[in-house]
Structure formats: C-alpha cells, structure tokens
Amino acid sequence: MKNVAVFASGTGSNFQAIIDAVEQGTLQANLVLLVCDKPGAKAIERANSHNIDTFVFTPKQYESKSAFETEIVSELQKRDVDYIALAGYMRLIGPTLLQSYEGKIINIHPSLLPAFPGKDAIGQAFQAGVEKTGVTIHYVDEGMDTGPAIAQGDVVLEENETMETLTKKIQKIEHELYPKTLQKIIEQ
Ligand code: GAR
C-alpha cells in the first residue's frame, strides 16, 4: 500500500474526507503524516484523534522556505511517503519539496482552474457572477494553483445562490472527488 502525507493549514474538512475514505476502505492508502504550518489548526486535532503523526511548524521560525521544506522532506522520507495530498495548504510549494517529490504532489482547489486561482476562489467566482464554477484536482508545479489537471467537478449556480449555499455545494464535491481521485492515482 502507498504511503500518503496530507498537508493542511486550516479546518481540514478535506483531510477528514480522506481519513474517512481510508477507514471505509474506498481509499487504499496508509495516512502516515499530517504536515501543518499553523499550530492550533483544527486539522491537527483530526490527525490526533485518528492516531496520524503530525509535523507542525511555524514558517517564521525558519530563515527560509528551503529550510523548513528540508525538514519536511526528512519527515516524509522517514515514513517512506509516496504521495503528498495538499488539502487547504495555503502556501506555495518550493523547489526543495518539488524536486524531492516530482509528479507526486497533488492539490485540490475550489474553482474550475485556470479560472480563479489563489485565495478565496469561491468568493472570486461568486463576485464575478459566473454561471458555473467547481473544483479542480491537479498535479502541483511551481505556480499558484497551476499544473496539469487530473479531475474537475462542476457546480451550476442557481438564481438564489448565496456564498453559503455555493460553499456547501463545492465542499460536497470536494469531499467526494478528492478521495476518489487519489485512489485512481495510487492505483496507476
Ligand atoms: C478547500 O476548499 C480547498 O479546495 C482550498 O482550501 C479549502 C480547505 O478547506 N484550497 C485552496 O484554495 C488552494 N489554493 P478544508 O481545510 O476544510 O479542507
């Protein structure tokens, strides 16, 4: 079975969907590590309550991105990590990690990329008044929410759509699509 590390910065609802899929056997992987750049993030509680190791760090305490990524790589190598799933990790991946895990880093983003990269993608799409938005799962390269797409899921906006209803619809698709897509990647 492949070893997977999840990177998250916040709530970790996608991390939870991945945990649930592993526990239900629909995602056949070992979740060996949560990497989190925000001490106190809810994602850490989720890891703890499912006995998943964590590496929690404060970026400002390092002199550079490459310094903390070197530590992350060492934590990943210790656990023979095969794949990295970014799940709301709100930080660009630098060359240190990209070179060590080339083609093995996957991200989920709440828009139909290349539309609305970056922060608050749901809000950006809502403000733009689009008829359709959605979710993209893609391989990670050096850009912000760039890299080859692997899967997309659409969400059509209704006339009475609010940010709240749209966010719920997007999250529902994220939580189904991410574990399913990770399983397909791992099987290849
Ligand atoms: C998710 O919507 C994810 O797609 C997004 O952050 C949210 C994390 O939610 N990622 C990005 O915007 C990446 N640019 P979660 O912590 O509840 O999984």
Side-chain angles (χ1 to χ4, degrees):
M1 252 205 297
K2 300 290 185 195
N3 293 335
V4 174
V6 176
F7 287 30
S9 303
T11 312
S13 70
N14 281 284
F15 176 41
Q16 187 66 53
I18 292 169
I19 294 172
D20 293 345
V22 167
E23 291 182 354
Q24 285 155 17
T26 51
L27 173 55
Q28 281 146 10
N30 300 315
L31 284 180
V32 294
L33 185 67
L34 170 75
V35 171
C36 181
D37 61 342
K38 291 264 156 57
K42 176 137 194 226
I44 301 163
E45 280 172 39
R46 299 184 195 270
N48 290 339
S49 59
H50 292 268
N51 291 316
I52 298 166
D53 282 0
T54 57
F55 175 67
V56 182
F57 67 102
T58 304
K60 277 189 193 149
Q61 289 174 355
Y62 293 79
E63 64 180 20
S64 63
K65 186 186 286 262
S66 110
F68 65 72
E69 286 197 344
T70 300
E71 252 184 64
I72 295 174
V73 167
S74 130
E75 294 294 328
L76 297 169
Q77 286 175 345
K78 251 193 251 172
R79 295 169 179 85
D80 289 323
V81 166
D82 298 296
Y83 288 95
I84 296 170
L86 308 183
Y89 181 70
M90 304 309 267
R91 195 167 282 284
L92 269 182
I93 300 294
T96 305
L97 259 167
L98 277 173
Q99 279 157 22
S100 303
Y101 285 87
E102 207 191 332
K104 303 288 182 192
I105 311 178
I106 295 129
N107 183 40
I108 186 162
H109 183 76
S111 76
L112 295 174
L113 290 170
F116 310 118
K119 285 194 178 146
D120 189 27
I122 304 175
Q124 290 185 55
F126 188 72
Q127 293 300 327
V130 295
E131 287 171 14
K132 195 174 87 172
T133 182
V135 171
T136 303
I137 294 164
H138 64 96
Y139 288 109
V140 172
D141 62 13
E142 61 286 345
M144 166 82 74
D145 301 316
T146 55
I150 307 165
Q152 288 190 310
D154 291 358
V155 171
V156 173
L157 279 81
E158 315 282 333
E159 251 174 46
N160 56 353
E161 201 77 58
T162 63
M163 259 303 282
E164 209 178 7
T165 58
L166 181 59
T167 301
K168 281 210 176 105
K169 284 191 204 169
I170 297 252
Q171 283 174 335
K172 184 165 186 286
I173 295 198
E174 287 197 322
H175 299 163
E176 288 164 7
L177 194 62
Y178 208 8
K180 208 164 98 185
T181 306
L182 287 172
Q183 176 62 24
K184 282 194 191 148
I185 293 166
I186 281 171
E187 274 169 6
Q188 283 170 9

